[in-house]
């Protein structure tokens, strides 16, 4: 899969989404 | 007749030697198997993998004897509510978890041996209108249950004595959760699928719902089996028990979908299908995926033809077939823990253990 298919990929997605998501 | 046709029809994959029959569990009670699983069991300082079989009214623990023979150690009788399934708890020891109910799961019980009282017993963990449940590493159990007004998603940490140490509520999505899958390589992440064909991701430590993404109608009625975290992506193994045959993918058993949690975008990367023209697709038609199990990168499924088929999910390649036997059709198939092979059972017949 290329990045263009799936959008920007972040190795730290779990921490980033946890910081953004409602508690 | 079916076995004779398999080799020429599936020339590039399945070979008999990929599944080697090791032994057969002979149950003298004559009860029909509804599920089979494996469990780590420690007794007299020896820790070994044992087999658990379930019928509607009992659950039996089997220990390995000599020469690939197995002997029944104990049977828990559960006569009030039928047993629906065994819920594997990946790294737990001396604990068996079962779901009981009529059409849907009504309660979850832990079956165990108590060294304090030197007796086998069972204890209630959860009741409700339970839609989906999964056992995770470190003796954790996650379930979704539904009332008319709301859905509850809860993680229970089990104690070694069968009680619950801790309960954590996870934020529920609006749609009903139909399945959960642990994420290989991420202890605190959990993946689920919903009745509206979305993939959801939770943070198990905080209970936050991190992402919900619709995976599209190319993969209808998706059920997640397992997920792998790699290079910032989640690779989720899905099956579609209620899907019709599609023109794009043919008769599909499993899909691997790459899911980017950061963007919420997903894309199918591999289909595991039955080759067109396979005798497995012949009457009783239409032959479809009935149920299956995933271990590592191998998927095994029971088809409506009564055969068990094994795929290498990374390559989408069919690698082994157990045709319906003269004594009956296969009704269930499960991978054993720790790479200990495949178990397959017939509704009114034996459970057989295969090395893969």
């Amino acid at each position: 899969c290329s990045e263009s298919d799936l959008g920007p990929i972040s190795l730290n997605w779990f921490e980033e989404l946890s910081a953004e998501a409602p508690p | 007749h079916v076995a004779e046709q398999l080799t020429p029809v599936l020339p590039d994959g399945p070979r008999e030697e990929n599944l080697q029959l090791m032994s057969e569990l002979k149950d003298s009670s004559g009860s029909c198997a509804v599920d089979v699983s494996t469990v780590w069991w420690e007794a007299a300082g020896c820790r070994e993998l044992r087999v658990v079989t379930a019928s509607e009214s009992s659950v039996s623990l089997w220990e390995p004897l000599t020469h690939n023979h197995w002997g029944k150690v104990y049977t828990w009788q559960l006569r009030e509510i039928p047993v629906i399934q065994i819920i594997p708890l990946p790294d737990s020891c001396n604990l068996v978890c079962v779901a009981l109910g009529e059409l849907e799961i009504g309660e979850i019980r832990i079956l165990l041996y108590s060294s304090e009282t030197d007796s086998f017993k069972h204890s209630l963990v959860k009741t409700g209108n339970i839609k989906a449940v999964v056992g995770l590493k470190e003796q954790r159990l996650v379930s979704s249950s539904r009332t008319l007004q709301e859905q509850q998603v809860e993680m229970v940490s089990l104690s070694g004595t069968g009680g619950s140490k801790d309960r954590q509520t996870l934020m529920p999505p609006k749609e009903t959760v139909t399945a959960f899958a642990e994420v290989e390589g991420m202890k605190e992440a959990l993946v689920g699928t919903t009745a509206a064909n979305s993939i959801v991701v939770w943070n198990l430590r905080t209970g936050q719902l991190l992402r919900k993404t619709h995976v599209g109608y190319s993969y209808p009625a998706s059920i997640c089996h397992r997920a792998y975290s790699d290079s910032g992506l989640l690779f989720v193994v899905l099956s579609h028990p209620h899907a019709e045959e599609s023109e794009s993918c043919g008769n599909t058993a499993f899909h691997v979908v790459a899911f980017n949690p950061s963007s919420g975008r997903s894309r199918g990367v591999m289909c595991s299908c039955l080759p067109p023209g396979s005798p497995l697709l012949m009457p009783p038609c239409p032959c479809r995926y009935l149920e299956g199990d995933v271990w590592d990168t191998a998927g095994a499924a029971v088809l409506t033809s009564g055969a068990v088929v094994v795929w290498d999910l990374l390559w989408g390649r069919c690698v082994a077939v157990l045709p319906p036997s003269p004594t009956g059709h296969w009704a269930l198939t499960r991978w054993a823990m720790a790479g200990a092979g495949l178990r397959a059972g017939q509704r009114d017949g034996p459970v057989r253990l295969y090395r893969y």
Side-chain angles (χ1 to χ4, degrees):
Chain A
C1 301
S2 65
E3 186 162 303
S4 59
D5 284 320
L6 293 167
I9 292 168
S10 168
L11 295 178
N12 298 317
W13 64 267
F14 189 76
E15 292 73 20
E16 290 165 6
L17 291 179
S18 297
E20 293 167 10
Chain B
H1 174 66
V2 172
E4 282 170 4
Q5 291 184 51
L6 286 173
T7 306
V9 173
L10 308 171
D12 58 341
R15 293 175 305 195
E16 281 182 20
E17 60 264 34
N18 283 339
L19 285 174
Q20 184 186 353
L21 178 63
M22 300 305 292
S23 54
E24 186 172 286
L25 304 187
K26 292 187 171 68
D27 194 339
S28 56
S29 71
S31 52
C32 302
V34 296
D35 205 354
V36 58
S37 186
T38 45
V39 60
W40 287 107
W41 205 271
E42 191 168 329
C46 176
R47 187 180 161 108
E48 63 189 5
L49 269 181
R50 293 186 174 181
V51 173
V52 184
T53 56
S55 71
E56 278 201 352
S57 61
S58 65
V59 176
S60 296
L61 180 68
W62 301 72
E63 67 175 353
L65 306 173
T66 54
H67 305 297
N68 287 323
H69 283 83
W70 291 75
K72 207 186 277 186
V73 180
Y74 185 75
T75 297
W76 290 269
Q77 299 293 339
L78 299 150
R79 296 195 188 282
E80 290 179 14
I81 307 175
V83 178
I84 293 180
Q85 68 173 105
I86 302 167
I87 305 157
L89 291 166
D91 59 357
S92 71
C93 191
N94 294 25
L95 287 181
V96 176
C97 188
V98 292
L100 304 103
E102 299 288 344
L103 290 174
E104 292 189 324
I105 301 171
E107 61 178 49
I108 296 169
R109 284 183 179 270
I110 291 290
L111 318 178
L112 71 159
Y113 170 77
S114 166
S115 55
E116 284 178 10
T117 57
D118 189 25
S119 63
F120 289 86
K121 60 179 192 175
H122 53 90
S123 65
L124 187 64
V125 174
K126 190 170 180 69
T127 58
N129 189 8
I130 297 163
K131 300 290 184 184
V133 59
V134 68
L136 305 174
K137 291 190 177 84
E138 301 185 359
Q139 295 190 173
R140 296 173 300 168
L141 196 68
V142 177
S143 61
S144 64
S145 52
R146 182 112 231 174
T147 63
L148 279 177
Q149 292 79 31
E150 59 176 13
Q151 176 172 227
Q152 184 198 41
V153 182
E154 186 186 55
M155 179 172 69
V156 181
S157 297
L158 301 165
S159 72
T161 54
S164 56
K165 279 194 304 192
D166 187 34
R167 287 177 188 261
Q168 157 91 49
T169 301
L170 310 184
M171 184 176 282
K174 282 183 183 158
E175 310 105 50
T176 302
V177 178
T178 52
F180 297 103
E182 69 171 335
V183 181
E184 195 69 41
M186 292 190 76
K187 185 188 138 196
E188 300 299 345
L190 179 70
V191 161
T193 40
T194 74
N197 220 30
S198 292
I199 292 179
V200 282
V201 183
W202 287 275
N203 180 332
L204 286 174
R205 191 166 32 81
T206 62
Q208 289 166 293
L209 197 162
L210 300 181
R211 179 68 79 184
K212 189 184 86 174
T213 300
H214 195 260
V215 290
Y217 292 106
S218 319
Y219 317 107
S222 302
I223 296 285
C224 60
H225 289 261
R226 206 161 173 82
Y228 312 89
S229 170
D230 190 14
S231 308
L233 295 174
L234 288 176
F235 293 87
V236 185
V237 181
L238 304 171
S239 69
H240 318 284
H242 308 294
E244 297 297 325
E245 186 173 351
S246 79
E247 284 184 14
S248 56
C249 267
N251 209 308
T252 306
F254 296 103
H255 271 121
V256 180
V257 173
F259 173 58
N260 180 358
S262 290
S263 66
R265 292 190 202 168
S266 65
R267 184 188 171 193
V269 290
M270 189 53 71
C271 266
S272 293
C273 309
L274 279 164
S278 161
L280 297 170
L281 299 174
M282 295 299 169
C285 271
C287 176
R288 291 190 301 109
Y289 169 99
L290 262 185
E291 62 123 59
D293 193 24
V294 174
W295 167 75
D296 199 18
T297 56
V302 175
L303 308 179
T304 48
S305 65
V308 168
V309 180
V310 179
W311 287 268
D312 178 329
L313 299 175
L314 289 184
W315 295 96
R317 198 166 53 202
C318 178
V319 291
V321 175
L322 294 177
S325 79
T327 55
H329 288 191
W330 298 108
L332 58 103
T333 185
R334 301 279 182 272
W335 293 105
M337 288 176 194
L342 187 76
R343 284 78 173 93
Q346 294 166 3
R347 191 61 71 198
D348 300 318
V351 169
R352 292 191 179 136
L353 314 186
Y354 292 86
R355 178 182 286 157
Y356 173 65

